Amino acid sequence: MRRHQSPRGTRLLLIAFAPAVAVSLVACAPDAAPRASEPASPSPSMSSPGPTPTGTPGPADGSAEALLPTFTSVMDEVWRGSKSVKGRDYVDALVAAGFAKDAMQVTFDETSVGLPADSIQFSVRIDDECLVGQVGPSVPGPTALVMPGLPAGECLVGETRPIDW
């Protein structure tokens, strides 16, 4: 439901979002053009993650919606290359592409009785939203969505695997 706001409420809303608008406009400035030339998927030179130089924009510098194509490209590349249902493969590839490992969650690769999982999910928290991917033989194909983040700061419901590597 959409609420009608008074002119005063609208002004307060505009003031509250002014910093975000300013940052968005700066990102559109001509000196931000090099971002467009960044690869959408990790190249062989990006296979081993390393620290990015200070001031270099990385994938974590955008909204979840803006980062969805990069997230999807990384997920699709891993799936096409191996049909992997191993969470570590996706986490490692996303880290290599510049996503923050400490913002990720991944489900278990095996069921509670030790059988391979029919599908796995993995996510990256971006502000109040989440990039969520799902792959596996029980889904029609790799799927990636932007979903609202959960109130406790997670993206995935239920027990997830520790990302301790």
Side-chain angles (χ1 to χ4, degrees):
M1 177 191 285
R2 188 176 190 153
R3 291 189 300 174
H4 177 73
Q5 292 186 348
S6 69
R8 177 186 158 101
T10 303
R11 276 182 279 180
L12 290 174
L13 185 63
L14 288 174
I15 291 170
F17 286 108
V21 171
V23 169
S24 296
L25 292 175
V26 169
C28 295
D31 64 344
R35 283 186 80 171
S37 66
E38 290 180 0
S41 63
S43 65
S45 65
M46 294 177 68
S47 63
S48 59
T52 56
T54 304
T56 301
D61 292 336
S63 69
E65 193 67 39
L67 294 171
L68 182 61
T70 302
F71 181 88
T72 302
S73 177
V74 170
M75 174 189 66
D76 288 344
E77 186 174 318
V78 173
W79 180 254
R80 271 192 313 270
S82 64
K83 300 287 189 231
S84 174
V85 189
K86 300 286 184 194
R88 184 172 185 158
D89 294 343
Y90 295 91
V91 169
D92 290 349
L94 289 165
V95 169
F99 289 94
K101 186 186 279 190
D102 63 353
M104 295 183 192
Q105 287 183 282
V106 64
T107 58
F108 290 92
D109 301 343
E110 294 182 345
T111 67
S112 60
V113 294
L115 299 174
D118 290 332
S119 70
I120 59 166
Q121 291 183 350
F122 43 91
S123 66
V124 180
R125 179 84 180 212
I126 309 288
D127 296 324
D128 291 336
E129 295 183 307
C130 297
L131 296 167
V132 179
Q134 183 174 9
V135 297
S138 68
V139 294
T143 304
L145 302 167
V146 174
M147 302 291 293
L150 299 173
E154 292 91 12
C155 294
L156 303 178
V157 175
E159 189 177 356
T160 57
R161 174 181 172 189
I163 300 175
D164 55 5
W165 61 90

